[in-house]
Amino acid sequence: MRKAQIVILSLVMMALVNRTPAAQIDAIDPEAMIQRIVAVDQKQRDEIKDIVFDADYIEGKLNDEGIFEEKARFVKKTYVKYLPDTALVYEDYLEYYKDGKLQEEKKRDKAADEQREKKQKRKGRDVSTFMMEPFYPDSRADYDITYEGVFENKIGGFICHQFRVRAKEEIEGLINGDFYIDAESFHPVRVDFSPAKMVKKAMFKMKELKLSMSYAPVGEEHWLPRQFDIKGKAKAMFFIGVTISGTEYFRNPIINGGIADEIFEVTDGK
């Protein structure tokens, strides 16, 4: 019954958005909604101490017909352990496919090292990222957050509220993005975002980076990442153009199964 009431309310809100967005925004109180989003997110953060995912990362490019062509595929086991103010991540690369062919372990390990290096260069966010941070009181001063109303289309089958988040300054670590929040649970369904400040170093300059994290319910209360899309353009040494295009899929999450601290220990700088 509660779900039906929420769906009806969201449909009414959607109709209001098409006619009088300002009146609709005033009626629902975006600040109260943000407080609810933070409360829901904090509850999940308190409940989940660690997660282990099965993951597939696929890298490729669009051909002239606009069709994605796979160049590389990595099969991984991803370990995430949440601490009070950060999260630890370890990725165990199990298989490496190049142009659809399984590669030997030596080539897999070399390609895995290259993936870690690329991620470090672009200061890549990943499955452990604290995506809802802009909504928390300690971070609100860094952002302008605007409620855009109920999004016109369902996302993943869910009716969503849209919030536009913009960093007030181009500072490393901040983001610009659009957050799509499930109208019933107040969990994020999708976040499309980019760094507020691109990486610029002597031998590597990030020109463009578009990221998108999608979520799905797991069980009755928790929502976890299910897909992470990366698209970017950069300039490497000697003005070599670098194009980044990949998608990572997360499956079979094990919540609070326990992860030994030793798995996150740094060895040989990796």
Side-chain angles (χ1 to χ4, degrees), residues 131-156:
M131 285 305 312
M132 305 310 293
E133 184 176 14
F135 292 86
Y136 278 67
D138 290 346
S139 301
R140 287 293 300 277
D142 296 326
Y143 292 96
D144 290 319
I145 300 179
T146 307
Y147 178 63
E148 298 291 317
V150 177
F151 192 59
E152 59 184 354
N153 299 316
K154 288 185 178 180
I155 299 177

Side-chain angles (χ1 to χ4, degrees), residues 147-254:
Y147 178 63
E148 298 291 317
V150 177
F151 192 59
E152 59 184 354
N153 299 316
K154 288 185 178 180
I155 299 177
F158 299 97
I159 295 173
C160 296
H161 300 287
Q162 180 184 359
F163 286 85
R164 180 154 295 171
V165 173
R166 295 293 180 268
K168 292 181 179 179
E169 297 183 70
E170 292 186 7
I171 298 176
E172 188 174 308
L174 301 186
I175 65 170
N176 297 317
D178 288 286
F179 288 67
Y180 301 92
I181 308 297
D182 175 43
E184 178 181 358
S185 69
F186 290 93
H187 282 287
V189 177
R190 193 180 79 206
V191 181
D192 300 331
F193 65 103
S194 298
K197 182 178 182 180
M198 295 295 177
V199 175
K200 292 184 179 180
K201 296 183 178 180
M203 305 299 284
F204 184 86
K205 294 184 179 180
M206 203 79 217
K207 304 288 288 184
E208 178 182 293
L209 186 60
K210 296 181 179 180
L211 308 168
S212 181
M213 186 77 79
S214 298
Y215 299 80
V218 176
E220 295 183 358
E221 295 187 2
H222 300 139
W223 286 58
L224 300 179
R226 66 174 180 83
Q227 182 174 326
F228 185 36
D229 296 298
I230 305 170
K231 292 183 180 179
K233 296 179 181 179
K235 289 284 186 181
M237 61 181 71
F238 308 118
F239 303 101
I240 298 173
V242 177
T243 300
I244 302 167
S245 182
T247 297
E248 190 159 11
Y249 300 95
F250 304 99
R251 300 173 286 105
N252 307 323
I254 299 174

